[in-house]
Amino acid sequence: MTQALTPAQREELKALLLVRQRELLAQMQQNRENLAPPAADQDGIVQGNVGREVDQVLTDIDTADLARIRLALDAMEDGSYGLCAECGCDIPFERLRAEPQTQHCVPCKSRWEAAQGAAR
Ligand SMILES: [Zn+2]
């Protein structure tokens, strides 16, 4: 059995989530600036297409992460934070501290990842 979060742990995780949210928003802002129309270099060849695609992928990942952080912050408000969305167990604090926006305990996440791997 794992313990439910103490108020102090919850506060610590909330702070972590807010920091990550701020970092992601800054990162996305940066990416959007990188996605601005590219300037032609001296040879008139447009550079940076590959970089732009990578930035786009990163932006998509950031968007998904940001959505998870918002969900986690919402869950914190309604008291469901720290519970596995799959099996309903209390997610261990150590795991939440490593990945505060997670919504699954380790066994459920592993199962999900195994299922994803098998589907490919
Ligand atoms: Zn679970």
Side-chain angles (χ1 to χ4, degrees):
M1 280 301 286
T2 49
Q3 296 292 312
L5 297 173
T6 66
Q9 287 174 330
R10 198 178 289 261
E11 280 306 306
E12 183 179 340
L13 293 168
K14 186 171 184 176
L16 278 175
L17 283 166
L18 290 173
V19 166
R20 288 203 184 191
Q21 186 178 45
R22 214 168 28 234
E23 283 173 356
L24 277 175
L25 287 171
Q27 176 87 49
M28 286 170 78
Q29 180 62 37
Q30 185 67 47
N31 282 344
R32 261 197 292 273
E33 282 164 17
N34 292 343
L35 285 170
D41 72 8
Q42 295 135 324
D43 301 322
I45 298 165
V46 175
Q47 297 285 323
N49 278 337
V50 172
R52 280 158 56 80
E53 279 169 26
V54 170
D55 284 340
Q56 184 60 57
V57 169
L58 286 175
T59 302
D60 290 346
I61 293 170
D62 287 347
T63 304
D65 238 10
L66 201 57
R68 292 205 301 159
I69 288 173
R70 291 214 171 110
L71 271 177
L73 287 168
D74 280 352
M76 226 165 230
E77 293 302 318
D78 69 22
S80 64
Y81 180 75
L83 298 177
C84 175
E86 189 76 25
C87 68
C89 72
D90 289 310
I91 302 172
F93 176 64
E94 289 307 316
R95 165 152 172 73
L96 289 169
R97 196 157 59 175
E99 201 186 340
Q101 72 273 35
T102 192
Q103 276 137 21
H104 295 98
C105 66
V106 174
C108 288
K109 181 98 189 275
S110 310
R111 242 194 337 267
W112 185 81
E113 280 171 354
Q116 291 289 304
R120 263 176 218 147

